[in-house]
Amino acid sequence: EAGVAQSPRYKIIEKRQSVAFWCNPISGHATLYWYQQILGQGPKLLIQFQNNGVVDDSQLPKDRFSAERLKGVDSTLKIQPAKLEDSAVYLCASSLGGTTRAGYNEQFFGPGTRLTVL
Amino acid sequence: AQSVTQPDIHITVSEGASLELRCNYSYGATPYLFWYVQSPGQGLQLLLKYFSGDTLVQGIKGFEAEFKRSQSSFNLRKPSVHWSDAAEHLCAVDGGYNKLIFGAGTRLAVHP
């Protein structure tokens, strides 16, 4: 079974430029997550999708970050314009479902995209 | 608010020695708790999880963890560390609706 795919693996941009990351979840997984992991910190959830709807985007800086999951499969996370503090690893994860605690579904993570903003 | 604290940023052990990584959580209800391992350039891999029942849980790669409600802790242990265990180890709690809240991680180094 193929895992979660992410691209690119690495990206270096100048501040104020735009950047986009792509994620393809495990086939059949309804829930998709984007996390930001700044150096020295644990991953922080940015946005959670259930199919093509947003479940939680409370920690997404909406003035510069946007994400979409058209057709409920793959997803794109965009930053426009980028700031120095956006340098981080962006992790995508997916799970079968699980928007209730009664039915927890394990999250499977992709390898991440390392973003450096100069 | 839910949170996870991993007090040790770096730990170094000798190969073959025992290991204990600390994790403390803050959560109002019965927590779902997890330990993940993150190797350079790779995604997170689930080592083990606790939902309910037996407070000592076994995971992959010979790891185990013990849930102690009275201490709000979920420490990770391994009786004999291998060089391949060197990695970032992350503790997490489910904050509800499958939302994971991670600690800052403990970087494990293994000396030959």
Side-chain angles (χ1 to χ4, degrees), chain A residues 9 33 35 37 42-43 45 48 56 97-99 101 104-107 110-111, chain B residues 27 30 32 34 36 38 41 43-44 46 51 94 97-100 102-104:
Chain A
R9 293 293 308 275
Y33 315 78
Y35 290 86
Q37 185 176 21
L45 180 68
Q48 177 181 352
D56 183 349
T99 56
R101 294 201 79 210
Y104 180 82
N105 290 280
E106 179 180 343
Q107 294 183 34
Chain B
Y27 191 76
T30 300
Y32 290 1
F34 309 84
Y36 284 86
Q38 185 178 29
L44 278 65
L46 182 65
F51 287 172
D94 175 40
Y97 302 100
N98 258 35
K99 175 182 175 179
L100 290 176
F102 286 89

PDB file of all heavy atoms in Angstrom, chain A residues 9 33 35 37 42-43 45 48 56 97-99 101 104-107 110-111, chain B residues 27 30 32 34 36 38 41 43-44 46 51 94 97-100 102-104:
ATOM      1  N   ARG A   9      10.126  17.964  -1.803  1.00  0.00           N
ATOM      2  CA  ARG A   9      10.709  17.577  -0.517  1.00  0.00           C
ATOM      3  C   ARG A   9      11.442  18.750   0.125  1.00  0.00           C
ATOM      4  O   ARG A   9      11.511  18.866   1.348  1.00  0.00           O
ATOM      5  CB  ARG A   9      11.668  16.410  -0.704  1.00  0.00           C
ATOM      6  CG  ARG A   9      10.988  15.117  -1.134  1.00  0.00           C
ATOM      7  CD  ARG A   9      10.070  14.567  -0.028  1.00  0.00           C
ATOM      8  NE  ARG A   9      10.757  14.448   1.249  1.00  0.00           N
ATOM      9  CZ  ARG A   9      11.489  13.408   1.593  1.00  0.00           C
ATOM     10  NH1 ARG A   9      11.629  12.386   0.770  1.00  0.00           N
ATOM     11  NH2 ARG A   9      12.073  13.375   2.784  1.00  0.00           N
ATOM     12  N   TYR A  33      -4.670  16.052   6.980  1.00  0.00           N
ATOM     13  CA  TYR A  33      -4.167  17.047   7.928  1.00  0.00           C
ATOM     14  C   TYR A  33      -2.891  17.695   7.371  1.00  0.00           C
ATOM     15  O   TYR A  33      -2.062  17.023   6.764  1.00  0.00           O
ATOM     16  CB  TYR A  33      -3.782  16.379   9.258  1.00  0.00           C
ATOM     17  CG  TYR A  33      -4.770  15.388   9.809  1.00  0.00           C
ATOM     18  CD1 TYR A  33      -4.858  14.094   9.294  1.00  0.00           C
ATOM     19  CD2 TYR A  33      -5.594  15.715  10.890  1.00  0.00           C
ATOM     20  CE1 TYR A  33      -5.750  13.162   9.814  1.00  0.00           C
ATOM     21  CE2 TYR A  33      -6.481  14.784  11.420  1.00  0.00           C
ATOM     22  CZ  TYR A  33      -6.548  13.524  10.874  1.00  0.00           C
ATOM     23  OH  TYR A  33      -7.426  12.600  11.391  1.00  0.00           O
ATOM     24  N   TYR A  35       0.336  19.820   9.008  1.00  0.00           N
ATOM     25  CA  TYR A  35       1.020  20.253  10.223  1.00  0.00           C
ATOM     26  C   TYR A  35       2.227  21.107   9.847  1.00  0.00           C
ATOM     27  O   TYR A  35       2.872  20.893   8.822  1.00  0.00           O
ATOM     28  CB  TYR A  35       1.535  19.047  11.020  1.00  0.00           C
ATOM     29  CG  TYR A  35       0.486  18.190  11.680  1.00  0.00           C
ATOM     30  CD1 TYR A  35      -0.140  17.158  10.992  1.00  0.00           C
ATOM     31  CD2 TYR A  35       0.147  18.380  13.016  1.00  0.00           C
ATOM     32  CE1 TYR A  35      -1.093  16.354  11.602  1.00  0.00           C
ATOM     33  CE2 TYR A  35      -0.794  17.584  13.641  1.00  0.00           C
ATOM     34  CZ  TYR A  35      -1.410  16.575  12.927  1.00  0.00           C
ATOM     35  OH  TYR A  35      -2.344  15.774  13.540  1.00  0.00           O
ATOM     36  N   GLN A  37       5.945  22.101  11.432  1.00  0.00           N
ATOM     37  CA  GLN A  37       6.913  21.749  12.463  1.00  0.00           C
ATOM     38  C   GLN A  37       8.115  22.675  12.357  1.00  0.00           C
ATOM     39  O   GLN A  37       8.984  22.499  11.495  1.00  0.00           O
ATOM     40  CB  GLN A  37       7.343  20.287  12.354  1.00  0.00           C
ATOM     41  CG  GLN A  37       8.256  19.835  13.486  1.00  0.00           C
ATOM     42  CD  GLN A  37       8.611  18.361  13.420  1.00  0.00           C
ATOM     43  OE1 GLN A  37       8.526  17.730  12.374  1.00  0.00           O
ATOM     44  NE2 GLN A  37       9.018  17.789  14.550  1.00  0.00           N
ATOM     45  N   GLY A  42       7.438  20.505  18.294  1.00  0.00           N
ATOM     46  CA  GLY A  42       6.637  19.421  17.754  1.00  0.00           C
ATOM     47  C   GLY A  42       5.717  19.946  16.661  1.00  0.00           C
ATOM     48  O   GLY A  42       5.509  21.154  16.536  1.00  0.00           O
ATOM     49  N   PRO A  43       5.168  19.045  15.857  1.00  0.00           N
ATOM     50  CA  PRO A  43       4.237  19.468  14.809  1.00  0.00           C
ATOM     51  C   PRO A  43       3.012  20.166  15.396  1.00  0.00           C
ATOM     52  O   PRO A  43       2.509  19.771  16.450  1.00  0.00           O
ATOM     53  CB  PRO A  43       3.845  18.149  14.133  1.00  0.00           C
ATOM     54  CG  PRO A  43       4.962  17.202  14.447  1.00  0.00           C
ATOM     55  CD  PRO A  43       5.426  17.595  15.819  1.00  0.00           C
ATOM     56  N   LEU A  45      -0.894  21.397  14.282  1.00  0.00           N
ATOM     57  CA  LEU A  45      -1.925  21.254  13.267  1.00  0.00           C
ATOM     58  C   LEU A  45      -2.314  22.613  12.695  1.00  0.00           C
ATOM     59  O   LEU A  45      -2.646  23.535  13.422  1.00  0.00           O
ATOM     60  CB  LEU A  45      -3.169  20.583  13.863  1.00  0.00           C
ATOM     61  CG  LEU A  45      -4.322  20.368  12.894  1.00  0.00           C
ATOM     62  CD1 LEU A  45      -3.955  19.315  11.844  1.00  0.00           C
ATOM     63  CD2 LEU A  45      -5.592  19.949  13.629  1.00  0.00           C
ATOM     64  N   GLN A  48      -7.390  20.697   9.114  1.00  0.00           N
ATOM     65  CA  GLN A  48      -7.872  19.330   9.009  1.00  0.00           C
ATOM     66  C   GLN A  48      -9.077  19.318   8.080  1.00  0.00           C
ATOM     67  O   GLN A  48     -10.021  20.099   8.262  1.00  0.00           O
ATOM     68  CB  GLN A  48      -8.265  18.804  10.392  1.00  0.00           C
ATOM     69  CG  GLN A  48      -8.857  17.406  10.396  1.00  0.00           C
ATOM     70  CD  GLN A  48      -9.258  16.956  11.794  1.00  0.00           C
ATOM     71  OE1 GLN A  48      -8.971  17.627  12.778  1.00  0.00           O
ATOM     72  NE2 GLN A  48      -9.923  15.817  11.888  1.00  0.00           N
ATOM     73  N   ASP A  56     -11.218  21.791  10.931  1.00  0.00           N
ATOM     74  CA  ASP A  56     -10.548  22.668  11.892  1.00  0.00           C
ATOM     75  C   ASP A  56      -9.457  23.435  11.172  1.00  0.00           C
ATOM     76  O   ASP A  56      -8.561  22.837  10.597  1.00  0.00           O
ATOM     77  CB  ASP A  56      -9.948  21.831  13.032  1.00  0.00           C
ATOM     78  CG  ASP A  56      -9.300  22.670  14.130  1.00  0.00           C
ATOM     79  OD1 ASP A  56      -9.116  23.885  13.948  1.00  0.00           O
ATOM     80  OD2 ASP A  56      -8.975  22.085  15.189  1.00  0.00           O
ATOM     81  N   GLY A  97     -10.735   8.203   8.794  1.00  0.00           N
ATOM     82  CA  GLY A  97     -11.831   9.101   9.131  1.00  0.00           C
ATOM     83  C   GLY A  97     -11.589   9.583  10.525  1.00  0.00           C
ATOM     84  O   GLY A  97     -10.483   9.945  10.872  1.00  0.00           O
ATOM     85  N   GLY A  98     -12.629   9.558  11.336  1.00  0.00           N
ATOM     86  CA  GLY A  98     -12.419   9.818  12.753  1.00  0.00           C
ATOM     87  C   GLY A  98     -12.556  11.249  13.166  1.00  0.00           C
ATOM     88  O   GLY A  98     -11.583  11.886  13.542  1.00  0.00           O
ATOM     89  N   THR A  99     -13.738  11.753  13.130  1.00  0.00           N
ATOM     90  CA  THR A  99     -13.956  13.080  13.684  1.00  0.00           C
ATOM     91  C   THR A  99     -14.662  12.991  15.030  1.00  0.00           C
ATOM     92  O   THR A  99     -15.112  13.961  15.555  1.00  0.00           O
ATOM     93  CB  THR A  99     -14.799  13.956  12.736  1.00  0.00           C
ATOM     94  OG1 THR A  99     -16.021  13.293  12.467  1.00  0.00           O
ATOM     95  CG2 THR A  99     -14.057  14.203  11.450  1.00  0.00           C
ATOM     96  N   ARG A 101     -14.227  11.054  19.039  1.00  0.00           N
ATOM     97  CA  ARG A 101     -13.263  10.329  19.869  1.00  0.00           C
ATOM     98  C   ARG A 101     -13.618   8.852  19.966  1.00  0.00           C
ATOM     99  O   ARG A 101     -12.772   8.032  20.224  1.00  0.00           O
ATOM    100  CB  ARG A 101     -13.199  10.938  21.262  1.00  0.00           C
ATOM    101  CG  ARG A 101     -12.653  12.344  21.274  1.00  0.00           C
ATOM    102  CD  ARG A 101     -12.149  12.700  22.653  1.00  0.00           C
ATOM    103  NE  ARG A 101     -10.841  12.122  22.901  1.00  0.00           N
ATOM    104  CZ  ARG A 101     -10.409  11.759  24.088  1.00  0.00           C
ATOM    105  NH1 ARG A 101     -11.188  11.899  25.119  1.00  0.00           N
ATOM    106  NH2 ARG A 101      -9.202  11.266  24.248  1.00  0.00           N
ATOM    107  N   TYR A 104     -11.413   6.440  16.932  1.00  0.00           N
ATOM    108  CA  TYR A 104     -10.126   7.018  16.568  1.00  0.00           C
ATOM    109  C   TYR A 104      -9.538   6.273  15.381  1.00  0.00           C
ATOM    110  O   TYR A 104      -9.585   5.045  15.302  1.00  0.00           O
ATOM    111  CB  TYR A 104      -9.142   6.946  17.737  1.00  0.00           C
ATOM    112  CG  TYR A 104      -7.826   7.554  17.354  1.00  0.00           C
ATOM    113  CD1 TYR A 104      -7.642   8.933  17.393  1.00  0.00           C
ATOM    114  CD2 TYR A 104      -6.782   6.770  16.887  1.00  0.00           C
ATOM    115  CE1 TYR A 104      -6.460   9.505  16.994  1.00  0.00           C
ATOM    116  CE2 TYR A 104      -5.594   7.335  16.477  1.00  0.00           C
ATOM    117  CZ  TYR A 104      -5.429   8.701  16.539  1.00  0.00           C
ATOM    118  OH  TYR A 104      -4.267   9.273  16.127  1.00  0.00           O
ATOM    119  N   ASN A 105      -8.966   7.006  14.454  1.00  0.00           N
ATOM    120  CA  ASN A 105      -8.283   6.431  13.305  1.00  0.00           C
ATOM    121  C   ASN A 105      -6.855   6.936  13.265  1.00  0.00           C
ATOM    122  O   ASN A 105      -6.617   8.132  13.310  1.00  0.00           O
ATOM    123  CB  ASN A 105      -9.005   6.818  12.013  1.00  0.00           C
ATOM    124  CG  ASN A 105     -10.339   6.117  11.883  1.00  0.00           C
ATOM    125  OD1 ASN A 105     -10.414   4.953  11.503  1.00  0.00           O
ATOM    126  ND2 ASN A 105     -11.411   6.813  12.220  1.00  0.00           N
ATOM    127  N   GLU A 106      -5.918   6.000  13.134  1.00  0.00           N
ATOM    128  CA  GLU A 106      -4.504   6.355  13.144  1.00  0.00           C
ATOM    129  C   GLU A 106      -4.175   7.277  11.995  1.00  0.00           C
ATOM    130  O   GLU A 106      -4.637   7.084  10.865  1.00  0.00           O
ATOM    131  CB  GLU A 106      -3.644   5.096  13.062  1.00  0.00           C
ATOM    132  CG  GLU A 106      -2.140   5.382  13.053  1.00  0.00           C
ATOM    133  CD  GLU A 106      -1.299   4.125  12.965  1.00  0.00           C
ATOM    134  OE1 GLU A 106      -1.836   3.034  13.233  1.00  0.00           O
ATOM    135  OE2 GLU A 106      -0.106   4.244  12.622  1.00  0.00           O
ATOM    136  N   GLN A 107      -3.340   8.262  12.273  1.00  0.00           N
ATOM    137  CA  GLN A 107      -2.850   9.168  11.248  1.00  0.00           C
ATOM    138  C   GLN A 107      -1.538   8.632  10.683  1.00  0.00           C
ATOM    139  O   GLN A 107      -0.654   8.243  11.434  1.00  0.00           O
ATOM    140  CB  GLN A 107      -2.628  10.568  11.831  1.00  0.00           C
ATOM    141  CG  GLN A 107      -3.903  11.251  12.273  1.00  0.00           C
ATOM    142  CD  GLN A 107      -3.672  12.652  12.781  1.00  0.00           C
ATOM    143  OE1 GLN A 107      -2.793  13.364  12.303  1.00  0.00           O
ATOM    144  NE2 GLN A 107      -4.477  13.072  13.752  1.00  0.00           N
ATOM    145  N   GLY A 110       3.282  11.722   5.830  1.00  0.00           N
ATOM    146  CA  GLY A 110       4.210  11.777   4.720  1.00  0.00           C
ATOM    147  C   GLY A 110       5.581  12.223   5.177  1.00  0.00           C
ATOM    148  O   GLY A 110       5.771  12.569   6.347  1.00  0.00           O
ATOM    149  N   PRO A 111       6.562  12.259   4.253  1.00  0.00           N
ATOM    150  CA  PRO A 111       7.943  12.607   4.615  1.00  0.00           C
ATOM    151  C   PRO A 111       8.146  14.089   4.895  1.00  0.00           C
ATOM    152  O   PRO A 111       9.160  14.472   5.478  1.00  0.00           O
ATOM    153  CB  PRO A 111       8.747  12.179   3.387  1.00  0.00           C
ATOM    154  CG  PRO A 111       7.774  12.277   2.266  1.00  0.00           C
ATOM    155  CD  PRO A 111       6.450  11.902   2.832  1.00  0.00           C
TER     156      PRO A 111
ATOM    157  N   TYR B  27      -4.797  17.251  30.198  1.00  0.00           N
ATOM    158  CA  TYR B  27      -6.030  16.974  29.457  1.00  0.00           C
ATOM    159  C   TYR B  27      -7.127  16.679  30.448  1.00  0.00           C
ATOM    160  O   TYR B  27      -6.906  15.942  31.401  1.00  0.00           O
ATOM    161  CB  TYR B  27      -5.823  15.790  28.519  1.00  0.00           C
ATOM    162  CG  TYR B  27      -6.952  15.593  27.538  1.00  0.00           C
ATOM    163  CD1 TYR B  27      -7.087  16.417  26.427  1.00  0.00           C
ATOM    164  CD2 TYR B  27      -7.896  14.592  27.724  1.00  0.00           C
ATOM    165  CE1 TYR B  27      -8.129  16.258  25.541  1.00  0.00           C
ATOM    166  CE2 TYR B  27      -8.938  14.422  26.839  1.00  0.00           C
ATOM    167  CZ  TYR B  27      -9.051  15.262  25.750  1.00  0.00           C
ATOM    168  OH  TYR B  27     -10.088  15.108  24.866  1.00  0.00           O
ATOM    169  N   THR B  30     -10.264  11.460  29.955  1.00  0.00           N
ATOM    170  CA  THR B  30      -9.334  10.347  29.769  1.00  0.00           C
ATOM    171  C   THR B  30      -8.610  10.541  28.445  1.00  0.00           C
ATOM    172  O   THR B  30      -9.246  10.627  27.399  1.00  0.00           O
ATOM    173  CB  THR B  30     -10.095   9.013  29.751  1.00  0.00           C
ATOM    174  OG1 THR B  30     -10.780   8.864  31.004  1.00  0.00           O
ATOM    175  CG2 THR B  30      -9.118   7.864  29.574  1.00  0.00           C
ATOM    176  N   TYR B  32      -6.234  10.027  25.080  1.00  0.00           N
ATOM    177  CA  TYR B  32      -5.633   9.094  24.142  1.00  0.00           C
ATOM    178  C   TYR B  32      -4.189   9.593  23.962  1.00  0.00           C
ATOM    179  O   TYR B  32      -3.983  10.754  23.624  1.00  0.00           O
ATOM    180  CB  TYR B  32      -6.337   9.116  22.783  1.00  0.00           C
ATOM    181  CG  TYR B  32      -7.730   8.537  22.746  1.00  0.00           C
ATOM    182  CD1 TYR B  32      -8.350   8.040  23.886  1.00  0.00           C
ATOM    183  CD2 TYR B  32      -8.436   8.486  21.565  1.00  0.00           C
ATOM    184  CE1 TYR B  32      -9.634   7.515  23.838  1.00  0.00           C
ATOM    185  CE2 TYR B  32      -9.721   7.960  21.498  1.00  0.00           C
ATOM    186  CZ  TYR B  32     -10.318   7.486  22.637  1.00  0.00           C
ATOM    187  OH  TYR B  32     -11.593   6.965  22.580  1.00  0.00           O
ATOM    188  N   PHE B  34       0.010   8.964  22.625  1.00  0.00           N
ATOM    189  CA  PHE B  34       0.784   8.370  21.543  1.00  0.00           C
ATOM    190  C   PHE B  34       2.264   8.702  21.700  1.00  0.00           C
ATOM    191  O   PHE B  34       2.635   9.757  22.234  1.00  0.00           O
ATOM    192  CB  PHE B  34       0.326   8.925  20.177  1.00  0.00           C
ATOM    193  CG  PHE B  34      -1.153   8.844  19.950  1.00  0.00           C
ATOM    194  CD1 PHE B  34      -1.995   9.825  20.429  1.00  0.00           C
ATOM    195  CD2 PHE B  34      -1.690   7.788  19.253  1.00  0.00           C
ATOM    196  CE1 PHE B  34      -3.364   9.761  20.223  1.00  0.00           C
ATOM    197  CE2 PHE B  34      -3.060   7.706  19.038  1.00  0.00           C
ATOM    198  CZ  PHE B  34      -3.890   8.695  19.527  1.00  0.00           C
ATOM    199  N   TYR B  36       5.477   8.831  18.878  1.00  0.00           N
ATOM    200  CA  TYR B  36       5.918   8.716  17.503  1.00  0.00           C
ATOM    201  C   TYR B  36       7.436   8.844  17.462  1.00  0.00           C
ATOM    202  O   TYR B  36       8.049   9.494  18.321  1.00  0.00           O
ATOM    203  CB  TYR B  36       5.340   9.842  16.643  1.00  0.00           C
ATOM    204  CG  TYR B  36       3.890   9.680  16.260  1.00  0.00           C
ATOM    205  CD1 TYR B  36       2.880  10.112  17.112  1.00  0.00           C
ATOM    206  CD2 TYR B  36       3.528   9.127  15.034  1.00  0.00           C
ATOM    207  CE1 TYR B  36       1.540   9.978  16.750  1.00  0.00           C
ATOM    208  CE2 TYR B  36       2.195   8.991  14.669  1.00  0.00           C
ATOM    209  CZ  TYR B  36       1.216   9.416  15.537  1.00  0.00           C
ATOM    210  OH  TYR B  36      -0.114   9.289  15.184  1.00  0.00           O
ATOM    211  N   GLN B  38      10.571  10.043  14.733  1.00  0.00           N
ATOM    212  CA  GLN B  38      10.805  10.790  13.498  1.00  0.00           C
ATOM    213  C   GLN B  38      12.281  10.735  13.157  1.00  0.00           C
ATOM    214  O   GLN B  38      13.104  11.316  13.856  1.00  0.00           O
ATOM    215  CB  GLN B  38      10.355  12.246  13.662  1.00  0.00           C
ATOM    216  CG  GLN B  38      10.456  13.078  12.402  1.00  0.00           C
ATOM    217  CD  GLN B  38       9.939  14.495  12.615  1.00  0.00           C
ATOM    218  OE1 GLN B  38       9.995  15.036  13.719  1.00  0.00           O
ATOM    219  NE2 GLN B  38       9.408  15.107  11.559  1.00  0.00           N
ATOM    220  N   GLY B  41      14.447  13.229   7.514  1.00  0.00           N
ATOM    221  CA  GLY B  41      13.946  13.081   6.157  1.00  0.00           C
ATOM    222  C   GLY B  41      12.778  12.133   6.016  1.00  0.00           C
ATOM    223  O   GLY B  41      12.339  11.852   4.898  1.00  0.00           O
ATOM    224  N   GLY B  43       8.851  10.728   7.569  1.00  0.00           N
ATOM    225  CA  GLY B  43       7.656  11.126   8.306  1.00  0.00           C
ATOM    226  C   GLY B  43       7.621  10.489   9.679  1.00  0.00           C
ATOM    227  O   GLY B  43       8.505   9.726  10.059  1.00  0.00           O
ATOM    228  N   LEU B  44       6.606  10.811  10.424  1.00  0.00           N
ATOM    229  CA  LEU B  44       6.445  10.252  11.758  1.00  0.00           C
ATOM    230  C   LEU B  44       5.914   8.824  11.681  1.00  0.00           C
ATOM    231  O   LEU B  44       5.026   8.526  10.884  1.00  0.00           O
ATOM    232  CB  LEU B  44       5.455  11.097  12.563  1.00  0.00           C
ATOM    233  CG  LEU B  44       5.972  12.367  13.227  1.00  0.00           C
ATOM    234  CD1 LEU B  44       6.412  13.387  12.215  1.00  0.00           C
ATOM    235  CD2 LEU B  44       4.907  12.956  14.139  1.00  0.00           C
ATOM    236  N   LEU B  46       4.296   5.751  14.092  1.00  0.00           N
ATOM    237  CA  LEU B  46       3.682   5.478  15.379  1.00  0.00           C
ATOM    238  C   LEU B  46       4.395   4.316  16.068  1.00  0.00           C
ATOM    239  O   LEU B  46       4.520   3.229  15.511  1.00  0.00           O
ATOM    240  CB  LEU B  46       2.206   5.135  15.191  1.00  0.00           C
ATOM    241  CG  LEU B  46       1.403   4.854  16.459  1.00  0.00           C
ATOM    242  CD1 LEU B  46       1.311   6.100  17.335  1.00  0.00           C
ATOM    243  CD2 LEU B  46       0.001   4.352  16.102  1.00  0.00           C
ATOM    244  N   PHE B  51      -5.257   3.942  24.751  1.00  0.00           N
ATOM    245  CA  PHE B  51      -6.626   4.429  24.717  1.00  0.00           C
ATOM    246  C   PHE B  51      -7.319   4.159  26.047  1.00  0.00           C
ATOM    247  O   PHE B  51      -7.982   5.033  26.605  1.00  0.00           O
ATOM    248  CB  PHE B  51      -7.422   3.765  23.586  1.00  0.00           C
ATOM    249  CG  PHE B  51      -7.049   4.253  22.204  1.00  0.00           C
ATOM    250  CD1 PHE B  51      -7.561   3.626  21.080  1.00  0.00           C
ATOM    251  CD2 PHE B  51      -6.192   5.317  22.027  1.00  0.00           C
ATOM    252  CE1 PHE B  51      -7.215   4.068  19.804  1.00  0.00           C
ATOM    253  CE2 PHE B  51      -5.837   5.764  20.765  1.00  0.00           C
ATOM    254  CZ  PHE B  51      -6.357   5.137  19.651  1.00  0.00           C
ATOM    255  N   ASP B  94      -4.379  13.159  21.976  1.00  0.00           N
ATOM    256  CA  ASP B  94      -5.492  13.500  21.083  1.00  0.00           C
ATOM    257  C   ASP B  94      -6.345  14.557  21.768  1.00  0.00           C
ATOM    258  O   ASP B  94      -6.931  14.312  22.813  1.00  0.00           O
ATOM    259  CB  ASP B  94      -6.321  12.260  20.783  1.00  0.00           C
ATOM    260  CG  ASP B  94      -7.552  12.579  19.951  1.00  0.00           C
ATOM    261  OD1 ASP B  94      -7.432  13.404  19.028  1.00  0.00           O
ATOM    262  OD2 ASP B  94      -8.617  12.013  20.220  1.00  0.00           O
ATOM    263  N   TYR B  97     -11.520  14.886  18.372  1.00  0.00           N
ATOM    264  CA  TYR B  97     -11.766  14.898  16.931  1.00  0.00           C
ATOM    265  C   TYR B  97     -10.500  14.606  16.135  1.00  0.00           C
ATOM    266  O   TYR B  97     -10.262  15.207  15.083  1.00  0.00           O
ATOM    267  CB  TYR B  97     -12.376  16.233  16.489  1.00  0.00           C
ATOM    268  CG  TYR B  97     -13.669  16.509  17.217  1.00  0.00           C
ATOM    269  CD1 TYR B  97     -13.702  17.358  18.302  1.00  0.00           C
ATOM    270  CD2 TYR B  97     -14.847  15.867  16.840  1.00  0.00           C
ATOM    271  CE1 TYR B  97     -14.882  17.584  18.993  1.00  0.00           C
ATOM    272  CE2 TYR B  97     -16.032  16.087  17.525  1.00  0.00           C
ATOM    273  CZ  TYR B  97     -16.035  16.947  18.601  1.00  0.00           C
ATOM    274  OH  TYR B  97     -17.195  17.170  19.284  1.00  0.00           O
ATOM    275  N   ASN B  98      -9.714  13.654  16.635  1.00  0.00           N
ATOM    276  CA  ASN B  98      -8.497  13.209  15.932  1.00  0.00           C
ATOM    277  C   ASN B  98      -7.435  14.280  15.806  1.00  0.00           C
ATOM    278  O   ASN B  98      -6.519  14.153  15.005  1.00  0.00           O
ATOM    279  CB  ASN B  98      -8.861  12.696  14.531  1.00  0.00           C
ATOM    280  CG  ASN B  98      -8.882  11.189  14.463  1.00  0.00           C
ATOM    281  OD1 ASN B  98      -9.253  10.530  15.422  1.00  0.00           O
ATOM    282  ND2 ASN B  98      -8.458  10.642  13.356  1.00  0.00           N
ATOM    283  N   LYS B  99      -7.537  15.355  16.588  1.00  0.00           N
ATOM    284  CA  LYS B  99      -6.533  16.407  16.518  1.00  0.00           C
ATOM    285  C   LYS B  99      -5.397  16.084  17.464  1.00  0.00           C
ATOM    286  O   LYS B  99      -5.593  16.013  18.677  1.00  0.00           O
ATOM    287  CB  LYS B  99      -7.166  17.741  16.909  1.00  0.00           C
ATOM    288  CG  LYS B  99      -6.193  18.899  17.002  1.00  0.00           C
ATOM    289  CD  LYS B  99      -6.913  20.168  17.444  1.00  0.00           C
ATOM    290  CE  LYS B  99      -5.946  21.313  17.661  1.00  0.00           C
ATOM    291  NZ  LYS B  99      -6.638  22.545  18.057  1.00  0.00           N
ATOM    292  N   LEU B 100      -4.187  15.881  16.940  1.00  0.00           N
ATOM    293  CA  LEU B 100      -3.027  15.546  17.760  1.00  0.00           C
ATOM    294  C   LEU B 100      -2.334  16.808  18.252  1.00  0.00           C
ATOM    295  O   LEU B 100      -2.089  17.727  17.472  1.00  0.00           O
ATOM    296  CB  LEU B 100      -2.048  14.683  16.965  1.00  0.00           C
ATOM    297  CG  LEU B 100      -2.498  13.253  16.665  1.00  0.00           C
ATOM    298  CD1 LEU B 100      -1.471  12.549  15.795  1.00  0.00           C
ATOM    299  CD2 LEU B 100      -2.713  12.472  17.948  1.00  0.00           C
ATOM    300  N   PHE B 102       1.201  17.768  20.005  1.00  0.00           N
ATOM    301  CA  PHE B 102       2.511  17.172  20.222  1.00  0.00           C
ATOM    302  C   PHE B 102       3.322  17.940  21.262  1.00  0.00           C
ATOM    303  O   PHE B 102       3.189  19.160  21.419  1.00  0.00           O
ATOM    304  CB  PHE B 102       3.319  17.176  18.922  1.00  0.00           C
ATOM    305  CG  PHE B 102       2.864  16.164  17.907  1.00  0.00           C
ATOM    306  CD1 PHE B 102       1.887  16.481  16.974  1.00  0.00           C
ATOM    307  CD2 PHE B 102       3.425  14.900  17.868  1.00  0.00           C
ATOM    308  CE1 PHE B 102       1.471  15.557  16.039  1.00  0.00           C
ATOM    309  CE2 PHE B 102       3.014  13.966  16.927  1.00  0.00           C
ATOM    310  CZ  PHE B 102       2.038  14.291  16.012  1.00  0.00           C
ATOM    311  N   GLY B 103       4.220  17.214  21.920  1.00  0.00           N
ATOM    312  CA  GLY B 103       5.266  17.844  22.695  1.00  0.00           C
ATOM    313  C   GLY B 103       6.388  18.290  21.765  1.00  0.00           C
ATOM    314  O   GLY B 103       6.354  18.044  20.558  1.00  0.00           O
ATOM    315  N   ALA B 104       7.393  18.939  22.345  1.00  0.00           N
ATOM    316  CA  ALA B 104       8.493  19.480  21.538  1.00  0.00           C
ATOM    317  C   ALA B 104       9.458  18.410  21.068  1.00  0.00           C
ATOM    318  O   ALA B 104      10.280  18.652  20.184  1.00  0.00           O
ATOM    319  CB  ALA B 104       9.243  20.552  22.325  1.00  0.00           C
TER     320      ALA B 104
END
